[in-house]
Amino acid sequence: MHITQVQLRNIGPHRQLDVEMGRGLIGLVGSNGAGKSTLVNAIYAALTNDFSRFSNVKSDIITNGSGKETSYIRIRGVHRGQDFELTRWLRPNKNDFTIGGVSYAKANEVNDAITAQLNISKLVIDKYVFVDQWEMFGFLDQTASERAKTFQYLCGTEVAATIHKVCSDYVTKQKGYEIDDNSLELEESLNTAAAAMAEYVQQMK
């Protein structure tokens, strides 16, 4: 997934902010209170519908003095060749998510679609994407087995590990038994049966 653009309207100190995002490493530079954390927290809130990094009250996130103007977080991006657009509205309170020509509007439908279509869950976002500043190197404290499990989870190789175990168990159970490949005999028998059936069809005609 590549987020290409972030738009903030009346979010915290940002009355109107449009940020284009390229691939690779991106740095946010600015003075204290410029709204760097607001931008990062806004992306997190859009992807997860969790605004707790701002405040327990969503209305407190809306820019002071914005009156009745609309307030929203919108991210655009590309995932597996498909463009997507995700908008979390604070005023009015609604959700929009469109990908591959399909749109979702209800909060729970949007959340499920993000997990399914963008292939990223809130657990992954919380644990490996938006981590606290001093927890970003936490994986170094993990044991080898914990790092292996983390790799499996992030790369989706748990299924491969399960298949490997099933195959290993099957081979272990088959020890002491000789397995004959009789595919040639079966093919010959099938051909003989097919020829006999063809002959009977001709006789019936």
Side-chain angles (χ1 to χ4, degrees), residues 7 46 65:
Q7 292 183 339

Side-chain angles (χ1 to χ4, degrees), residues 32-74:
N32 289 339
K36 302 185 298 295
S37 296
T38 299
L39 175 60
V40 174
N41 291 337
I43 298 173
Y44 172 84
L47 291 172
T48 63
N49 200 30
D50 180 355
F51 289 80
S52 61
R53 296 194 175 201
F54 287 105
S55 168
N56 291 326
V57 182
K58 286 176 67 174
S59 59
D60 291 345
I61 306 167
I62 300 174
T63 303
N64 291 331
S66 59
K68 294 183 179 181
E69 295 176 8
T70 58
S71 174
Y72 62 80
I73 303 164
R74 175 173 294 147

Side-chain angles (χ1 to χ4, degrees), residues 90-109:
L90 281 77
R91 188 166 57 205
N93 185 16
K94 59 180 182 176
N95 300 269
D96 292 309
F97 178 53
T98 302
I99 183 170
V102 181
S103 297
Y104 307 86
K106 294 181 179 179
N108 58 335
E109 292 178 351

Side-chain angles (χ1 to χ4, degrees), residues 135-155:
E135 293 181 7
M136 62 186 300
F137 300 109
F139 69 94
L140 295 175
D141 295 330
Q142 293 180 332
T143 63
S145 62
E146 289 174 335
R147 282 196 293 271
K149 289 179 180 178
T150 298
F151 175 83
Q152 287 181 354
Y153 184 81
L154 290 175
C155 299

Side-chain angles (χ1 to χ4, degrees), residues 10-176:
N10 291 313
I11 301 294
H14 303 295
R15 293 294 297 265
Q16 180 173 329
L17 178 68
D18 298 299
V19 179
E20 304 292 331
M21 304 180 73
R23 292 187 179 275
L25 186 64
I26 297 175
L28 298 178
V29 180
S31 59
N32 289 339
K36 302 185 298 295
S37 296
T38 299
L39 175 60
V40 174
N41 291 337
I43 298 173
Y44 172 84
L47 291 172
T48 63
N49 200 30
D50 180 355
F51 289 80
S52 61
R53 296 194 175 201
F54 287 105
S55 168
N56 291 326
V57 182
K58 286 176 67 174
S59 59
D60 291 345
I61 306 167
I62 300 174
T63 303
N64 291 331
S66 59
K68 294 183 179 181
E69 295 176 8
T70 58
S71 174
Y72 62 80
I73 303 164
R74 175 173 294 147
I75 62 175
R76 294 189 175 100
V78 180
H79 181 66
R80 293 180 178 174
Q82 290 187 319
D83 293 334
F84 70 86
E85 180 177 292
L86 169 64
T87 307
R88 302 285 189 177
W89 297 77
L90 281 77
R91 188 166 57 205
N93 185 16
K94 59 180 182 176
N95 300 269
D96 292 309
F97 178 53
T98 302
I99 183 170
V102 181
S103 297
Y104 307 86
K106 294 181 179 179
N108 58 335
E109 292 178 351
V110 169
N111 296 338
D112 291 343
I114 289 172
T115 301
Q117 300 294 335
L118 300 184
N119 196 30
I120 186 168
S121 66
K122 188 175 185 299
L123 175 62
V124 170
I125 292 173
D126 284 339
K127 196 168 184 179
Y128 304 111
V129 182
F130 289 87
V131 296
D132 290 336
Q133 184 174 0
W134 300 111
E135 293 181 7
M136 62 186 300
F137 300 109
F139 69 94
L140 295 175
D141 295 330
Q142 293 180 332
T143 63
S145 62
E146 289 174 335
R147 282 196 293 271
K149 289 179 180 178
T150 298
F151 175 83
Q152 287 181 354
Y153 184 81
L154 290 175
C155 299
T157 60
E158 302 108 315
V159 175
T162 301
I163 293 173
H164 181 270
K165 184 178 185 307
V166 170
C167 292
S168 297
D169 292 345
Y170 178 80
V171 171
T172 300
K173 290 179 181 178
Q174 300 306 314
K175 283 184 178 178

